[in-house]
């Protein structure tokens, strides 16, 4: 039986750093804590990532790649069911890298690269959501004036970006723990898509309510 090659140290460092950042918040996790969790010397960690920002940037690169891979699919959204899957999957990526959103203002104030890249991400999210609305409009799933589409797309992105912060404020001790993930993401998807209710065609509105009802009370 062929043994699996051990994971490279650099990969293990990223995995543990992500877990600790997500659980405790990036400002509360030092490189010393990460190396202790891995049972490696600080020098070994610094060999791979000379500074904490290098770790953060490496994780951000992964997040950005996953996000961009998904956002391209927004052009294929045609109805409420497609939109639910798209928004929920987007929330799953945000959850996987939730430390970025938990400590967003702090991170952007300290890291110029994140500041500029996150601005680009917000623009790309808004473009993708606008494309989703355009596709649903062409498929007669919703009726929304062109003048309202940009404002609605922006409002949806605001909820997407700050939903986990809202969850955290309500329950700081448990909101961002792994066991809270499913309920938090379902509620987030519900409230993002709820912004479309005034514009949805009647059968699509009923279908969205049916989807939300299937996950109650998590979406309450």
């Amino acid at each position: 039986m062929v043994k699996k090659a051990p994971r490279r140290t650099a990969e293990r460092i990223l995995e543990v750093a992500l877990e600790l950042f997500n659980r405790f918040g990036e400002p509360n996790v030092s490189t010393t804590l990460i190396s202790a969790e891995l049972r490696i010397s600080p020098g070994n960690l610094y060999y791979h990532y000379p500074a904490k920002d290098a770790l953060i940037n490496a994780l951000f690169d992964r997040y950005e790649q996953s996000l961009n891979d998904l956002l391209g699919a927004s052009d294929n959204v045609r109805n409420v069911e497609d939109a639910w899957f798209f928004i929920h999957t987007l929330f799953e990526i945000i959850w996987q890298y939730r430390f970025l959103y938990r400590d967003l203002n702090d991170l952007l104030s300290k890291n110029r690269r994140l500041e500029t890249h996150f601005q680009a991400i917000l623009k790309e999210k808004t473009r993708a959501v606008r494309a989703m609305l355009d596709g649903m409009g062409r498929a007669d799933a919703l009726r929304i004036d062109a003048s309202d589409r940009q404002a609605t797309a922006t409002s949806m992105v605001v909820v997407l970006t700050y939903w986990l912060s809202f969850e955290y404020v309500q329950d700081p001790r448990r909101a961002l723990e792994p066991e809270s993930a499913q309920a938090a993401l379902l509620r987030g998807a519900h409230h993002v898509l709820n912004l479309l209710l005034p514009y949805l065609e009647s059968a699509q509105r009923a279908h969205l309510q049916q989807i939300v009802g299937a996950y109650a009370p998590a979406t309450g």
Side-chain angles (χ1 to χ4, degrees), residues 86-104:
F86 175 74
I87 295 296
H88 192 274
T89 305
L90 185 50
F91 266 120
E92 287 179 339
I93 295 173
I94 290 171
W95 178 269
Q96 185 180 357
Y97 295 92
R98 58 194 177 277
F99 81 93
L100 292 168
Y101 290 83
R102 170 178 176 161
D103 306 305
L104 183 57

Side-chain angles (χ1 to χ4, degrees), residues 69-116:
D69 289 345
L70 173 65
L71 292 180
S74 63
D75 295 328
N76 300 320
V77 175
R78 293 292 180 268
N79 53 50
V80 158
E81 193 154 335
D82 291 344
W84 177 271
F85 179 77
F86 175 74
I87 295 296
H88 192 274
T89 305
L90 185 50
F91 266 120
E92 287 179 339
I93 295 173
I94 290 171
W95 178 269
Q96 185 180 357
Y97 295 92
R98 58 194 177 277
F99 81 93
L100 292 168
Y101 290 83
R102 170 178 176 161
D103 306 305
L104 183 57
N105 291 351
D106 184 65
L107 283 168
L108 297 189
S109 70
K110 297 186 301 186
N111 188 314
R112 175 62 178 165
R113 183 171 182 274
L114 259 62
E115 178 187 347
T116 56

